Amino acid sequence: MSAILDILPMSSWIDTQGKPLIIAGPCSAETEEQVRETVSQIKTEGYAHVIRAGVWKPRTRPGSFEGMGEAALPWLVAAREETGLPIAIEVATPQHVELALKYGIDILWIGARTTVNPFNVQDLADALQGADVPVLIKNPVNPDLALWIGAFERINRAGIKKLGAIHRGFSNAQENKFRNSPMWNIAVELKTMFPELPLIGDPSHMAGKRAYLYELAQRALDLNYDGLIIESHRDPDKAWSDASQQLTPKALGEMLHELSIRQAEYGADFQSNLETLRSKIDNLDRELLEILGTRMSLVEQLGEYKRDNNVAVLQMNRWRELRKSRGDLGKQMNLYADFVEELFELIHMTSIRKQTEVMNSAPVA
Ligand code: PEP
Ligand code: MN
């Protein structure tokens, strides 16, 4: 896939003095008070270059808090006046763009549920024509790199040269540790294609839970991301949206302090082919293990089901069918037949071991 973007470096729209860009702020602007207090605490902590806040919230289900809309814009303008920090908000419709520009919002971002739809992205591009505002584009909810690139092309063709990518992970149908699967290799691929495009990690929406923020943020920095966008709320548990993934401004400061920036080791990571390829392989291996972990937890459930229904662990028909279908799949993917066979023998043996263990344990009362 070849594509060209005409973009300006990140330093043309924000000065981070060589450090990773930190965007912090609440998932949503809820009240004037909450915005003022949260932003002022973030300012006091001193780590943020930009404040984020959602004004229009794209909610999966109706009836959840859908954002305060235009009413919140003056609160954000006031927060910028008090702190001197530029403000970023999400835009999803041409009306949002129009209002954001009218209030002089400094940075816009396009959310994951908007990036998936080329019609919506084109509408935003048309509304942005002639504006000189940085636009950050979140990855689409589904793992489709071409769709993400298409969004950059549309916005870029409208004359927006201050662009950045936000990697927030991809929705996962299977059971998973994270709210959104990172699939790091997709973002690394984007950065490899467009080394000058700033890449910003969004551990908040990947994690879904505070406990995982640190490891995801560290991983983004290890991959030489240009910055992080992290949700922070004065009273996270009472947040009107995304309560379980937000941190207080102080806790965010402590977390950022703990992160190591491995500039020296990674250096020109993306310039070096060897390093790029190795980091892609590292990512894939990690995902392989994550998938094996998910598979094993399904096997465990299967074991419990067999135990409770008095079914034998090994069913020859199933194993024969599994071996054949995996062999056929492997062939389509140009993998050595004996490799696929041995791999699935090992996986199958380990599943049997797990299920036998479950069989011999007492059901939970
Ligand atoms: C957000 O940033 O609050 C948000 C809604 O994110 P996403 O578009 O990544 O779901
Ligand atoms: Mn959010």
Side-chain angles (χ1 to χ4, degrees):
M1 195 185 337
S2 79
I4 296 169
L5 296 176
D6 177 14
I7 52 186
L8 292 169
M10 188 165 89
S11 58
S12 72
W13 51 272
I14 192 83
D15 181 13
T16 64
Q17 290 167 345
K19 292 193 187 146
L21 167 69
I22 301 295
I23 305 177
C27 177
S28 304
E30 300 164 359
T31 65
E32 189 168 7
E33 255 280 277
Q34 170 253 5
V35 168
R36 190 184 317 112
E37 217 177 285
T38 305
V39 174
S40 116
Q41 288 174 15
I42 290 173
K43 172 71 183 178
T44 309
E45 293 291 325
Y47 46 71
H49 306 102
V50 175
I51 295 294
R52 64 147 284 152
V55 165
W56 297 281
K57 300 306 297 177
R59 306 317 300 270
T60 304
R61 308 270 315 276
S64 320
F65 173 58
E66 287 181 338
M68 296 305 293
E70 185 177 357
L73 294 175
W75 311 337
L76 295 173
V77 171
R80 177 186 47 214
E81 268 158 29
E82 274 168 42
T83 60
L85 292 169
I87 306 290
I89 67 167
E90 173 174 353
V91 288
T93 69
Q95 292 74 18
H96 298 166
V97 172
E98 203 179 296
L99 284 166
L101 297 176
K102 178 175 144 195
Y103 283 84
I105 297 298
D106 307 275
I107 298 168
L108 310 183
W109 85 77
I110 298 178
R113 293 165 194 75
T114 307
T115 312
V116 278
N117 187 326
F119 292 121
N120 291 356
V121 174
Q122 191 56 50
D123 285 345
L124 295 180
D126 296 342
L128 282 161
Q129 193 82 41
D132 180 30
V133 65
V135 178
L136 311 178
I137 306 181
K138 287 204 175 197
N139 66 257
V141 280
N142 51 324
D144 185 340
L145 178 60
L147 206 48
W148 200 4
I149 293 173
F152 283 105
E153 290 177 312
R154 287 179 197 277
I155 302 297
N156 195 214
R157 281 181 196 173
I160 304 291
K161 295 186 178 185
K162 298 170 181 169
L163 288 169
I166 300 179
H167 175 210
R168 50 80 81 192
F170 302 89
S171 44
N172 42 262
Q174 347 141 283
E175 222 185 289
N176 210 300
K177 172 173 168 187
F178 301 123
R179 174 178 174 190
N180 289 294
S181 302
M183 302 190 180
W184 298 99
N185 54 310
I186 295 179
V188 170
E189 185 73 34
L190 180 78
K191 184 73 177 177
T192 310
M193 289 179 73
F194 306 105
E196 69 285 17
L197 180 69
L199 177 59
I200 299 162
D202 178 350
S204 304
H205 292 89
M206 286 177 183
K209 279 203 190 85
R210 276 189 273 288
Y212 303 139
L213 292 173
Y214 175 81
E215 65 181 273
L216 290 165
Q218 183 62 63
R219 195 146 164 74
L221 292 181
D222 289 349
L223 288 168
N224 214 18
Y225 278 38
D226 301 278
L228 298 169
I229 177 166
I230 306 183
E231 291 185 337
S232 177
H233 189 288
R234 62 170 178 176
D235 190 357
D237 288 333
K238 298 217 177 77
W240 298 359
S241 58
D242 289 350
S244 46
Q245 71 196 26
Q246 304 204 57
L247 289 174
T248 62
K250 188 161 184 287
L252 175 55
E254 285 160 7
M255 186 189 94
L256 292 172
H257 189 73
E258 290 301 310
L259 294 170
S260 16
I261 301 170
R262 302 190 217 275
Q263 294 288 11
E265 287 151 67
Y266 277 76
D269 200 356
F270 295 110
Q271 267 85 59
S272 143
N273 257 337
L274 187 70
E275 282 302 303
T276 307
L277 292 172
R278 280 185 178 151
S279 84
K280 283 187 189 175
I281 287 175
D282 290 350
N283 292 329
L284 287 176
D285 283 351
R286 197 184 165 99
E287 271 166 37
L288 262 177
L289 290 171
E290 276 169 10
I291 289 175
L292 284 174
T294 308
R295 190 186 195 282
M296 197 54 104
S297 67
L298 290 177
V299 163
E300 205 171 330
Q301 285 175 35
L302 190 67
E304 283 163 10
Y305 183 82
K306 287 182 183 171
R307 176 193 62 205
D308 299 343
N309 293 280
N310 218 12
V311 177
V313 165
L314 178 64
Q315 268 119 25
M316 251 359 246
N317 287 350
R318 164 73 180 155
W319 169 228
R320 262 195 297 271
E321 173 207 304
L322 191 149
R323 188 152 66 174
K324 165 136 187 21
S325 71
R326 298 337 179 235
D328 291 347
L329 272 176
K331 216 180 280 167
Q332 284 168 29
M333 293 175 196
N334 278 330
L335 292 166
Y336 298 123
D338 56 346
F339 165 67
V340 175
E341 193 168 332
E342 278 176 42
L343 178 67
F344 275 95
E345 248 159 49
L346 186 61
I347 290 178
H348 185 244
M349 266 164 48
T350 315
S351 301
I352 296 219
R353 173 173 158 197
K354 175 58 95 188
Q355 291 184 49
T356 309
E357 219 173 85
V358 173
M359 278 283 183
N360 294 324
S361 67
V364 189

